[in-house]
Amino acid sequence: MVRTVFDAPVDPALVERSLAASVFAPMWLDIARPDHPPLVGSQSCDLLVVGGGYTGLWAALHAAERYPDRRIILIESDRVGWAASGRNGGFVDASLTHGAENGRSRWAAEFDTLTELGMANLDGMAADIERLGLDVDWERTGMLSVATEPHQVDWLAESAAAGEGRLLDQEQVRAEVHSPTYRAGLYEPDSCALVHPAKLAMELARACLEAGVQVHEHTRAISLESADGALRVGTGSGAVTADRVILATNVFPSLLRRNRWYTVPVYDYVLSTEPLTAAQLERIGWTGRQGVGDSANQFHYYRLSADNRIVWGGYDAVYHFGRRVDPTYEDRPQTYRRLAEHFFITFPQLDDVRFSHRWAGAIDTNTRFCAHWGTAHRGRVAYVNGFTGLGVGATRFAADVCLDLLDGTPTPRTRLEMVRKKPLPFPPEPFASVGIQATRWSLDRADHSAGRRNVLLRTLDKLGLGFDS
């Protein structure tokens, strides 16, 4: 086994000091959040959206703009943007397929179209933000992928040859961001933007209200059934009768039982530093403020916030037996210590920096690593999930697909094989857990074997299956 750069020792006292004052809470959610009243009693509408994350918010907003005469209600079991939409890294990637390699390997004939649709979606999102005056700290600074091991340099060169960005040698990439771990980089200036995740959710909710959508928090959907030619969604305090329904619950158990087999919850962990001083920023450069991700199977992603904190996440992707979503899984000290160690390996010149926040959240992943869609109740219910951690931009596209599906008229989006066909489901327990843990072990082994994939990974590649975050 080959040691990687992240196997280097780090002073335990430095790690403990850096985490000692951190608050266990998502940094992004430390903002003013308006309350939306619970739904009480029985109501009716043309479209009911279940879920107050990005997918549901984009669906409700675009539905209101498409059909201004229709009554639209959105319900959320907790608070708008409290889950993945308020906890992610804020990378708005143009990719709809969780990266070019995944998209090209699965939908080679459609890949160019998917790339065009992804860029159009990113441009459309930027246009919506400007048109609606959404205050979301939007920065279209591009994406910098970095190689920290020799074999990853070849991977980046192959991506550059495929037109996926500009290859930077060691000197060039370290000029962009000063890290002794970088061996090469790949910079794509147009395909990624950065955003404040929670502000995006809050501002989309505001835009929904201004467009006439009713938004209700603390309103849990507990049942879905057809009744007298309409759909009835029961809640703890009442019910909504609707002509059409969009289920945007993502990682949480679907109201459609058959859809529950297609995703598993994977926990992702994040740290945020205190705001860096001008002197600390000067030590690391990063004047271009790009999003950064390294190139291992177990990868880190990181970026600067508007107030110059470094948001640092990834590496561990943890699945727990039974597919449960449980807040007790979020405070995982060994993972936060590992993330802190890797931070100081990447930026040893920031040994005086301390972390202000630590948090985690569940990602909905499926066996093809990107969204899948479906309909039910004779086409009157549409659903989407499976974004696998790259959904900040893709949720907008996914919401438009759901609206197209409910309209029942084919569009370029609904004709895509990606939309028409589902991934293979995960098996039941204990097979799901055994397979996922074996895959995680194999991915770690590949990172410690110069990228060489073992028999299990090669077999999964041939079958189009896998596990990722």
Side-chain angles (χ1 to χ4, degrees):
M1 297 287 282
V2 178
R3 288 174 59 85
T4 74
V5 67
F6 295 111
D7 293 323
V10 178
D11 180 4
L14 169 61
V15 171
E16 293 303 319
R17 284 196 304 272
S18 72
L19 291 167
S22 64
V23 176
F24 176 54
M27 178 268 289
W28 303 117
L29 291 172
D30 281 351
I31 60 172
R33 292 189 281 165
D35 293 315
H36 304 284
L39 183 145
V40 178
S42 297
Q43 298 198 33
S44 61
C45 62
D46 298 293
L47 173 65
L48 173 66
V49 178
V50 181
Y54 296 146
T55 307
L57 293 164
W58 281 116
L61 176 61
H62 283 184
E65 293 177 340
R66 283 195 198 190
Y67 315 112
D69 58 334
R70 297 185 186 178
R71 188 180 185 202
I72 300 166
I73 296 177
L74 181 149
I75 60 174
E76 163 57 44
S77 65
D78 196 287
R79 299 195 67 186
V80 164
W82 75 277
S85 295
R87 297 166 185 253
N88 63 84
F91 288 72
V92 191
D93 200 289
S95 177
L96 305 174
T97 61
H98 206 273
E101 182 180 355
N102 190 50
R104 190 178 286 110
S105 67
R106 296 179 188 278
W107 301 288
E110 289 183 346
F111 182 70
D112 289 344
T113 299
L114 288 166
T115 300
E116 292 171 3
L117 288 170
M119 286 299 295
N121 179 64
L122 181 59
D123 291 339
M125 186 170 172
D128 281 350
I129 288 169
E130 182 176 3
R131 173 175 59 86
L132 297 168
L134 307 185
D135 177 14
V136 297
D137 297 345
W138 177 269
E139 296 182 88
R140 196 158 178 176
T141 51
M143 186 69 188
L144 178 65
S145 301
V146 297
T148 58
E149 303 294 332
H151 66 276
Q152 296 169 9
V153 177
D154 295 332
W155 292 352
L156 296 186
E158 291 169 4
S159 296
E164 295 165 18
R166 179 169 61 91
L167 187 66
L168 307 177
D169 64 22
Q170 179 172 291
E171 182 179 357
Q172 290 170 322
V173 70
R174 293 187 183 185
E176 294 292 327
V177 183
H178 307 336
S179 172
T181 66
Y182 297 169
R183 294 173 176 269
L186 182 74
Y187 179 54
E188 215 304 319
D190 299 319
S191 64
C192 186
L194 299 175
V195 73
H196 187 300
K199 283 186 179 180
L200 178 60
M202 302 310 129
E203 287 287 86
L204 285 174
R206 177 179 65 81
C208 282
L209 292 172
E210 292 174 355
V213 177
Q214 286 182 230
V215 178
H216 297 284
E217 296 178 323
H218 306 295
T219 304
R220 184 184 175 204
I222 56 177
S223 63
L224 168 63
E225 58 187 13
S226 296
D228 300 324
L231 298 163
R232 185 180 185 276
V233 174
T235 70
S237 56
V240 181
T241 301
D243 184 55
R244 298 285 188 272
V245 173
I246 291 177
L247 301 179
T249 53
N250 294 314
V251 76
F252 297 98
S254 175
L255 292 177
L256 299 170
R257 287 191 173 273
R258 66 176 180 265
N259 191 38
R260 297 183 184 183
W261 293 105
Y262 287 95
T263 61
V264 295
V266 179
Y267 276 82
D268 184 48
Y269 297 83
V270 193
L271 297 174
S272 173
T273 70
E274 296 173 337
L276 270 60
T277 66
Q280 289 168 333
L281 277 171
E282 187 175 0
R283 292 179 216 157
I284 58 170
W286 212 346
T287 57
R289 300 182 60 83
Q290 312 94 321
V292 183
D294 53 42
S295 302
N297 292 300
Q298 297 182 108
F299 62 92
H300 309 85
Y301 58 85
Y302 40 112
R303 47 82 55 101
L304 291 168
S305 65
D307 60 349
N308 291 326
R309 302 171 187 266
I310 297 178
V311 178
W312 176 269
Y315 197 79
D316 277 352
V318 181
Y319 171 76
H320 296 272
F321 185 92
R323 306 182 189 228
R324 290 178 58 203
V325 179
D326 190 328
T328 62
Y329 297 150
E330 295 174 16
D331 198 5
R332 197 166 191 265
Q334 65 267 43
T335 291
Y336 295 123
R337 286 195 293 269
R338 181 178 295 119
L339 281 173
E341 290 169 357
H342 294 181
F343 176 90
F344 291 117
I345 289 169
T346 303
F347 296 122
Q349 65 272 50
L350 294 182
D351 59 358
D352 57 343
V353 165
R354 300 294 178 259
F355 296 105
S356 62
H357 295 76
R358 65 187 195 280
W359 71 93
I363 293 169
D364 56 325
T365 189
N366 61 28
T367 56
R368 74 183 192 192
F369 311 147
C370 58
H372 68 268
W373 291 260
T375 59
H377 290 268
R378 298 183 179 180
R380 291 184 295 149
V381 174
Y383 61 87
V384 61
N385 50 357
F387 293 100
T388 317
L390 207 61
V392 181
T395 50
R396 180 182 180 275
F397 176 85
D400 285 339
V401 171
C402 286
L403 295 174
D404 292 348
L405 291 171
L406 291 181
D407 281 347
T409 302
T411 69
R413 287 186 286 249
T414 61
R415 292 189 187 99
L416 292 166
E417 181 184 353
M418 177 187 178
V419 173
R420 291 185 291 104
K421 296 184 178 180
K422 292 186 179 69
L424 289 173
F426 285 97
E429 295 289 15
F431 304 106
S433 186
V434 170
I436 288 170
Q437 301 307 342
T439 304
R440 289 190 66 222
W441 178 86
S442 297
L443 291 170
D444 179 71
R445 188 176 181 88
D447 284 338
H448 288 84
S449 303
R452 290 185 295 274
R453 299 170 78 81
N454 65 13
V455 172
L456 173 62
L457 294 180
R458 294 197 301 272
T459 301
L460 292 175
D461 291 340
K462 289 179 180 179
L463 295 173
L465 300 174
F467 170 81
D468 201 0
S469 71

